[in-house]
Amino acid sequence: LVSCYGHAVYAECLYKNDWFCEPVGELLESWEGYRQERIRDLPDSPVDLTCFSELGLREEILMGIEWSMALSTVATFFAFIVLAIMLRNFRQLHLVLLNIGAVGGTTLLIMYPVACYVMDVCVGAPPLFIGVGLAMSIDYSLFLLTRFNEERLDGRSITQSLEIALATQGHTIVVSGATLALCFTSMLVLPTSTITSMAAGAATAVLQSVLVSLSLTPALLLTMPRFFTADRMLGLTLDGTPFGTYRRASSGTVAQFGATIDRPTIIENPQPKKESIWAHVGRCSQRGAPVMFLFLALVMVPFAMALTRFSYVEDLTPLMQTTHPATKAFISISNIYGQDLTTPVQLLIMAPSQKAMASREWSLATCHMLQDLATKVTDRMHEEGHDYTMTTADFNGLMIFRGGCLADGLKFGVIDVMPAVHMYGMYDMVADLLSNRNQTATQVYVHCQVDLFSEVGEAWMRAVRASLPRPEVIRQPLGGHQDADSANYVPYGRWDDVEIGALHLYGMPLEQMDGAQYTLRRMPYVGLAIAAIVCIILGGSFGTALIPVRAVICIAWMLVVTFGASVMVYQLGYLEGLGLQALAPSGERQALFWLSPTITLAILVGLGLDYDVFFMESVVEHFDAGYSSREAVVEALRHTGTIICVAGVIMFLAFGALLAS
């Protein structure tokens, strides 16, 4: 279906919702309604009807993304409960919620003009930067408010507590946010607009999280100090509100349950702090450091071995909902009719002119070129060790059908039916479908006999592209004047001494293959850039080269274990015996979707570095306070161990809900 202006309906209706989309939507709904009525009225019918369209397929992918965001939102409710218990104050959740809303709103306001005027933004970018903004807002709020509450418990005033929290955790937030934003920015060098738009949105969300956490949270704490510091019964009272109870502090300042605002509260005979489990862990790790190092190295070995078996797939099915009827229809149609119907590969031929394209000479020359192309593809596939033979019948277009040239006629046996095809207008009808309005370009469907996303299928696509005729080209400027150095020259190929025109092999499988190969080929450089960013920022922040080197080693260990576990679960099927769909191997090919490692790399580095900087800032703080290096590590672990674990649990609840999508 196309609009009255010749545009593809699915693109206009799915992303812009123009005026002509309503009848198209009603048509699709009526088909689906008829299907539902038939299933209800004829439950025992042997005929199974399934509605399938590219519009419905893409809409299903969008619905899957929206459903995933909804699940993540529901899971965030439980994450907030954990966060409130950690802060010992449900009221401070208002600060976190306001931070998340401000980050999401400002990021959307920034990315909207970017999507309109700068770059194409894919549908996966909003869920990603909303998720990143959610994660970073929770982490930064947890770091800042936890330190603020600790200082309040030590008897300091609200102003003093906030100053200390900003001086310590503010530095952590700035260093972590700057590093993560630069990590996402480094992904802009990748050649895929899907990833670059996601990276741009995520980097913007991180910067907004830093700005909002260091500005909005302190402002609200100073604006309503009694409300946010009233923590009796975890803040589930009316204290600090017009309906609450106040009393006068001994200093003369209005206070809520002894919490002064301007002056510190002196706590007489403070109780000694108990030795926490994290302090024991820290001391045991120091005493058995070589054993711990060897243990972690041995733990990494099986994951590293699994990672060597990493493979990826470029199919659309990983983006679809596993139980949706459209997914089942897509797979069924692909299995029955092949991928020519669902994800076709086409050859666009742009003729020199309308007159040339209508001539018999051009049709014959183009047909002969395609017949020779089939032979070259077969030879190239055999040279690469693939048992694949391409025939001339694999091309179908205005000039070729069933391997024969239509300029020589369309024969069934000894009968030429081409005159009848022209007489009844069937050829003109096909020409309208395969050509543009000006009749200067046409498309030829190229059939592949195997799965396009398999190893042989990808080799076939590369062979077809490489075997396209490359004779000496006649360069013709678009502007009409000869300029040998102009970037607007268009190559025109020749065959049988006839100008054929420009040749472009295209299709969704080719786009996915190119995007995956170019992106994964550059990922090592992105990894090196991220490591350099971490070393430069951490080295400049802490004034030493050892801390960034240790951070890179620890983050590399985490990445190997994480991606190795992903290969074990979704490629090798180690947890398939549990019977859980969310932990079953991914698709029939049992390979990871190519976007997964590229997108999660920066997120994993960001979260890992976030907690690492938080811990090391505490180590430096205790060392400056007079502790020895070993005791500073133990004290830092005692202060940050629980907070880091709670932050990890919150992230697991927020993102773990996606397993049910």
Side-chain angles (χ1 to χ4, degrees):
L1 295 176
V2 296
S3 67
C4 300
Y5 300 100
H7 300 299
V9 164
Y10 77 85
E12 301 294 327
C13 294
L14 193 58
Y15 303 114
K16 300 180 181 179
N17 198 22
D18 285 339
W19 59 270
F20 54 78
C21 297
E22 185 175 352
V24 177
E26 293 177 354
L27 176 63
L28 296 178
E29 290 179 2
S30 65
W31 287 346
E32 181 62 24
Y34 173 74
R35 174 181 176 273
Q36 296 293 341
E37 292 178 2
R38 182 178 176 85
I39 293 175
R40 184 180 64 250
D41 298 339
L42 302 172
D44 299 328
S45 174
V47 179
D48 182 23
L49 300 180
T50 302
C51 300
F52 174 80
S53 66
E54 188 169 1
L55 173 62
L57 181 64
R58 293 176 180 265
E59 186 175 5
E60 182 220 336
I61 295 176
L62 288 179
M63 290 175 58
I65 294 175
E66 293 175 358
W67 175 245
S68 299
M69 293 181 66
L71 289 174
S72 183
T73 302
V74 173
T76 305
F77 172 77
F78 300 99
F80 283 150
I81 294 177
V82 176
L83 179 61
I85 295 174
M86 182 63 191
L87 297 174
R88 300 185 181 90
N89 194 334
F90 274 85
R91 296 187 180 191
Q92 292 181 356
L93 287 183
H94 293 83
L95 300 173
V96 182
L97 290 172
L98 289 173
N99 280 356
I100 294 173
V103 170
T106 53
T107 305
L108 285 172
L109 288 176
I110 294 173
M111 290 303 297
Y112 182 77
V114 171
C116 293
Y117 305 109
V118 179
M119 67 170 67
D120 293 330
V121 176
C122 73
V123 295
L128 178 64
F129 68 67
I130 292 296
V132 171
L134 175 70
M136 294 299 103
S137 297
I138 291 177
D139 272 2
Y140 296 158
S141 298
L142 179 61
F143 296 162
L144 190 64
L145 294 175
T146 301
R147 184 57 184 267
F148 171 79
N149 292 335
E150 287 178 356
E151 298 301 325
R152 292 288 299 147
L153 291 176
D154 287 341
R156 293 181 175 84
S157 67
I158 290 178
T159 304
Q160 291 174 334
S161 300
L162 190 57
E163 288 177 352
I164 295 174
L166 288 174
T168 55
Q169 304 312 314
H171 182 262
T172 302
I173 292 172
V174 170
V175 173
S176 173
T179 306
L180 181 56
L182 288 175
C183 289
F184 278 116
T185 304
S186 66
M187 300 180 69
L188 294 177
V189 301
L190 297 176
T192 307
S193 60
T194 300
I195 296 178
T196 54
S197 62
M198 289 182 175
T204 304
V206 171
L207 293 177
Q208 294 303 312
S209 299
V210 173
L211 294 175
V212 171
S213 297
L214 298 180
S215 59
L216 181 61
T217 299
L220 292 174
L221 283 173
L222 294 176
T223 302
M224 295 179 287
R226 297 188 184 91
F227 177 79
F228 289 116
T229 56
D231 56 0
R232 186 169 64 91
M233 296 178 60
L234 298 179
L236 300 176
T237 64
L238 295 178
D239 301 341
T241 67
F243 304 98
T245 303
Y246 294 87
R247 69 177 179 86
R248 290 281 175 178
S250 59
S251 61
T253 304
V254 177
Q256 179 64 40
F257 296 98
T260 57
I261 298 174
D262 298 323
R263 297 180 183 178
T265 300
I266 300 176
I267 302 176
E268 298 181 357
N269 300 322
Q271 297 293 327
K273 297 180 180 179
K274 297 181 179 180
E275 186 81 347
S276 68
I277 186 174
W278 295 112
H280 287 294
V281 171
R283 289 193 172 91
C284 292
S285 299
Q286 289 180 352
R287 286 194 297 265
V291 177
M292 180 64 69
F293 178 81
L294 181 60
F295 172 74
L296 293 176
L298 292 176
V299 167
M300 186 181 67
V301 169
F303 296 99
M305 294 177 63
L307 192 57
T308 59
R309 301 173 63 181
F310 166 75
S311 63
Y312 62 89
V313 66
E314 303 122 1
D315 198 357
L316 282 179
T317 50
L319 297 176
M320 304 178 190
Q321 301 180 61
T322 54
T323 58
H324 197 278
T327 303
K328 297 179 179 179
F330 177 84
I331 296 175
S332 298
I333 292 176
S334 298
N335 293 336
I336 296 172
Y337 294 99
Q339 293 169 309
D340 295 340
L341 186 61
T342 55
T343 54
V345 173
Q346 296 164 287
L347 179 63
L348 177 65
I349 305 176
M350 302 176 65
S353 64
Q354 180 181 9
K355 181 179 179 181
M357 184 171 158
S359 66
R360 184 176 184 275
E361 292 78 11
W362 183 88
S363 178
L364 275 176
T366 307
C367 178
H368 293 162
M369 181 269 296
L370 295 175
Q371 291 173 339
D372 182 77
L373 179 62
T375 303
K376 290 181 178 179
V377 170
T378 300
D379 295 340
R380 187 177 292 270
M381 292 291 287
H382 290 169
E383 291 176 0
E384 296 180 2
H386 300 291
D387 186 14
Y388 185 96
T389 301
M390 187 175 187
T391 65
T392 57
D394 291 334
F395 296 102
N396 286 293
L398 290 180
M399 70 295 300
I400 187 171
F401 183 72
R402 298 175 62 183
C405 298
L406 293 180
D408 293 332
L410 179 61
K411 296 183 179 180
F412 288 89
V414 295
I415 302 176
D416 185 6
V417 299
M418 200 63 191
V421 170
H422 282 287
M423 179 182 300
Y424 293 102
M426 289 183 287
Y427 184 85
D428 294 336
M429 180 182 65
V430 175
D432 290 338
L433 293 175
L434 298 181
S435 306
N436 62 341
R437 283 188 171 185
N438 298 328
Q439 300 292 316
T440 56
T442 184
Q443 53 188 348
V444 177
Y445 284 88
V446 188
H447 171 67
C448 181
Q449 303 165 18
V450 297
D451 184 0
L452 285 168
F453 299 103
S454 64
E455 180 182 356
V456 179
E458 291 187 0
W460 174 83
M461 287 188 286
R462 291 192 295 267
V464 174
R465 178 182 287 167
S467 301
L468 288 174
R470 294 288 189 271
E472 290 188 6
V473 296
I474 300 176
R475 295 186 177 271
Q476 178 177 343
L478 296 178
H481 62 278
Q482 294 291 338
D483 185 359
D485 297 325
S486 174
N488 294 327
Y489 277 99
V490 178
Y492 284 83
R494 301 178 65 87
W495 201 266
D496 294 343
D497 294 329
V498 176
E499 247 185 58
I500 295 176
L503 306 173
H504 303 280
L505 190 69
Y506 70 99
M508 190 276 292
L510 283 158
E511 296 170 2
Q512 291 288 318
M513 182 185 71
D514 291 343
Q517 290 180 352
Y518 294 157
T519 299
L520 296 178
R521 193 179 302 162
R522 294 190 182 183
M523 283 307 296
Y525 301 102
V526 174
L528 292 176
I530 290 176
I533 291 170
V534 171
C535 291
I536 292 173
I537 293 183
L538 292 187
S541 176
F542 291 100
T544 176
L546 295 179
I547 290 180
V549 171
R550 181 207 51 78
V552 169
I553 294 175
C554 292
I555 291 174
W557 184 91
M558 177 195 66
L559 293 176
V560 170
V561 172
T562 302
F563 288 127
S566 301
V567 173
M568 288 180 176
V569 174
Y570 295 107
Q571 187 173 322
L572 304 180
Y574 282 8
L575 300 182
E576 189 175 5
L578 298 178
L580 299 176
Q581 179 66 33
L583 300 178
S586 179
E588 297 179 358
R589 301 175 186 87
Q590 297 188 358
L592 295 176
F593 188 48
W594 69 276
L595 276 177
S596 300
T598 57
I599 295 300
T600 54
L601 174 64
I603 297 177
L604 289 172
V605 171
L607 290 176
L609 189 64
D610 201 18
Y611 305 144
D612 189 278
V613 172
F614 178 56
F615 171 72
M616 288 307 303
E617 286 280 2
S618 184
V619 172
V620 173
E621 181 183 354
H622 284 87
F623 182 80
D624 293 339
Y627 288 89
S628 65
S629 57
R630 287 179 173 270
E631 287 299 320
V633 172
V634 173
E635 287 297 311
L637 191 58
R638 183 175 66 82
H639 279 84
T640 63
T642 302
I643 299 174
I644 292 174
C645 288
V646 169
V649 170
I650 292 173
M651 293 301 103
F652 174 79
L653 292 174
F655 291 102
L658 300 179
L659 291 173
S661 65

